[in-house]
């Protein structure tokens, strides 16, 4: 039996009202007005670690939350033992409205969405320049996911000691994505500070293939915290999925939510094999292209923006926007129809 399973939920031991169903449940339930605010740092199956004021508290979902998921980055309301003392367990009674939701599916046909992170405002798309080889298709997919979710993308190119960054940077130049190029050695030698300035005042989720150096980066950014990093397999060129759960860590400075101007949160996540985009709404993606968006008013209904009648061709031909931008937008939108890994 799973430790965190239904039958061990502490709410179950409460005696149920005998006239169950005769009154709306909300009247029976306490209102939790005295609940404390928390910020979810990590979720390990049923054990949810939250920051409450300056204490780290272990909690589990209260039964009344039902199937509603709690993910890293969530703001939650907690009741119960909030001392943070060993072996105590608080209960999460509410998940506050999320300002953003980063989702992915296992592949494009997978109807099951997993929420990767809540409330992030920046997506650091981490790509190694070599070992493992960069896969622009995955970068494109992460960009689409970021635009769809309303997160600002940040391209982080690691392992600059192994290969030059120029070819990739050229590909992404028309998109105007902010970028930073790093290497492990340079991170230790002041480079971390350069990356940190791009993260201040924000909640940044780090995503990418296994072995690209997400944890190496996060360890350099948050030196007082060390997570394990893993070798890249010399034969397959793949990482070993060293990180198995997402974890939010505060940049040096005050650890609070929302993050202070001179601080921030970084969220290390497990390496992904793919980034399925079953749930993407193209109109939300175009929203991230304010120079092109006005040109879509003359598009046919439900235009995929890649068809002969698409008004964006004329918009660009008339000089309203850079053709390279339209080209990049179309490549991103088309990434949903293509397979990853090519
Ligand atoms: N040459 C070189 N190796 C690096 C660099 N950054 C990280 N590595 C190495 O790449 C390997 C993988 O790094 P991790 O930080 O564990 O990668 P990750 O993205 O967290 O991987 P998962 O947790 O599996 O998703 C480790 O052996 C790191 O030491 C770099 O800039 N240059
Ligand atoms: Mg890792
Ligand atoms: Zn169109």
């Amino acid at each position: 039996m799973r430790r965190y399973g239904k039958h061990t939920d502490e709410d179950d031991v409460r005696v149920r009202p005998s006239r169950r169903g005769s009154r709306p449940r909300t009247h029976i339930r306490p209102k939790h007005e005295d609940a404390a605010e928390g910020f979810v740092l990590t979720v390990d199956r049923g054990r949810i670690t939250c920051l409450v004021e300056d204490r780290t508290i272990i909690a589990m979902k209260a039964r009344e939350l039902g199937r509603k998921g709690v993910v890293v980055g969530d703001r939650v309301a907690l009741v119960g033992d909030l001392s943070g003392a060993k072996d105590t367990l608080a209960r999460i009674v509410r998940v506050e409205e999320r300002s953003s939701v980063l989702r992915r599916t296992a592949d494009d046909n997978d109807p099951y969405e997993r929420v990767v992170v809540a409330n992030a405002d920046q997506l650091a798309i981490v790509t190694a320049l070599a070992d493992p080889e960069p896969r622009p298709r995955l970068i494109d997919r992460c960009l689409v996911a970021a635009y769809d979710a309303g997160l600002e993308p940040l391209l982080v190119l690691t392992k600059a000691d192994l290969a030059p960054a120029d070819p990739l940077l050229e590909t992404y130049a028309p998109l105007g994505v902010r970028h930073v190029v790093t290497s492990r050695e340079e991170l230790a030698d002041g480079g971390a500070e350069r990356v940190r300035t791009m993260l201040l005042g924000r909640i940044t989720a780090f995503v990418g293939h296994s072995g690209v150096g997400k944890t190496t980066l996060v360890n350099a950014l948050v030196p007082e915290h060390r997570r394990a990093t893993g070798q890249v397999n010399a034969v397959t060129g793949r990482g070993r999925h060293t990180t198995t759960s997402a974890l939010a860590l505060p940049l040096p400075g005050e650890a609070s939510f929302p993050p202070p101007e001179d601080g921030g949160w970084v969220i290390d996540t497990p390496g992904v094999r793919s980034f399925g985009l079953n749930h993407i709404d193209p109109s939300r993606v175009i929203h991230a292209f304010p120079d092109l968006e006005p040109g879509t008013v003359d598009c046919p209904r439900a235009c995929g923006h890649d068809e002969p009648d698409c008004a964006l061709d004329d918009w660009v031909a008339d000089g309203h926007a850079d053709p390279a931008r339209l080209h990049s937008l179309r490549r991103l939108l088309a990434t949903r129809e293509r397979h990853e890994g090519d």
Side-chain angles (χ1 to χ4, degrees):
M1 193 174 83
R2 295 185 302 178
R3 257 190 317 126
Y4 57 95
K6 186 169 176 263
H7 301 288
T8 56
D9 190 321
E10 59 185 86
D11 272 4
D12 260 15
V13 299
R14 207 172 53 190
V15 178
R16 290 214 173 88
S18 55
R19 289 177 300 123
R20 190 165 176 238
S22 61
R23 292 162 69 195
R25 278 189 65 102
T26 43
H27 291 173
I28 308 167
R29 229 188 288 151
K31 289 275 195 297
H32 304 306
E33 274 156 7
D34 54 342
E37 279 177 33
F39 176 63
V40 175
L41 302 175
T42 194
V43 179
D44 178 11
R45 288 171 292 173
R47 278 167 63 91
I48 302 163
T49 307
C50 304
L51 181 75
V52 178
E53 287 161 19
D54 56 355
R55 301 187 304 283
T56 304
I57 285 173
I58 309 290
M60 58 196 294
K61 266 175 29 172
R63 189 183 165 76
E64 63 207 69
L65 280 184
R67 295 178 64 88
K68 188 167 176 58
V70 176
V71 299
V72 175
D74 263 328
R75 285 181 308 131
V76 293
L78 299 112
V79 299
D81 190 331
L82 302 175
S83 66
K86 196 167 176 290
D87 296 331
T88 59
L89 203 54
R91 280 185 303 130
I92 295 176
V93 291
R94 194 166 64 237
V95 178
E96 307 297 355
E97 200 182 325
R98 295 163 173 165
S99 63
S100 75
V101 180
L102 177 68
R103 301 183 171 90
R104 79 178 180 94
T105 53
D107 61 57
D108 287 355
N109 303 317
D110 177 7
Y112 180 70
E113 283 176 16
R114 39 210 102 206
V115 175
V116 185
V117 169
N119 295 320
D121 46 22
Q122 181 162 251
L123 186 68
I125 303 166
V126 187
T127 304
L129 291 162
D131 190 26
E133 284 304 306
R135 300 220 184 93
R137 206 66 72 223
L138 183 78
I139 303 177
D140 286 353
R141 288 172 157 265
C142 290
L143 283 170
V144 171
Y147 292 140
D148 179 71
L151 308 190
E152 187 171 4
L154 171 67
L155 195 55
V156 182
L157 303 180
T158 60
K159 311 201 187 186
D161 51 310
L162 302 180
D166 310 350
L168 266 185
L169 289 178
E170 262 165 46
T171 307
Y172 290 96
L175 287 171
V177 181
R178 288 152 68 243
H179 67 266
V180 59
V181 182
T182 70
S183 75
R184 190 175 45 195
E185 277 65 36
E186 192 253 358
L187 279 173
D189 195 21
E193 206 41 59
R194 203 164 45 86
V195 180
R196 208 176 280 140
T197 57
M198 312 193 83
L199 311 175
L200 291 180
R202 294 168 177 264
I203 300 178
T204 305
F206 286 69
V207 297
H209 278 305
S210 177
V212 296
K214 297 179 293 296
T215 302
T216 303
L217 202 56
V218 165
N219 283 346
L221 292 165
V222 190
E224 53 275 33
H225 188 96
R226 288 246 159 260
R227 295 195 102 184
T229 59
Q231 297 297 314
V232 173
N233 185 302
V235 179
T236 62
R238 293 200 178 155
R240 299 202 168 156
H241 293 274
T242 309
T243 304
T244 54
S245 59
L247 173 67
L249 291 165
L251 290 174
E254 191 197 336
S256 60
F257 183 94
E261 286 290 295
D262 60 347
W265 288 92
V266 289
I267 303 177
D268 186 18
T269 70
V272 294
R273 289 189 185 84
S274 62
F275 211 102
L277 299 173
N278 190 24
H279 53 283
I280 297 297
D281 175 353
S283 65
R284 285 202 301 254
V285 177
I286 289 176
H287 210 58
F289 291 76
D291 50 335
L292 296 174
E293 197 177 18
T296 63
V297 293
D298 295 329
C299 283
R301 274 192 55 165
C303 182
H305 306 304
D306 212 3
E307 35 205 272
D309 293 346
C310 178
L312 285 173
D313 291 289
D314 283 347
W315 179 256
V316 164
D318 291 346
H320 293 298
D322 181 355
R325 293 272 295 163
L326 179 56
H327 181 80
S328 290
L329 169 68
R330 286 187 168 153
R331 190 187 72 227
L332 293 189
L333 289 174
T335 190
R336 293 164 71 212
E337 276 103 60
R338 282 196 295 255
H339 275 289
E340 248 170 274
D342 54 19

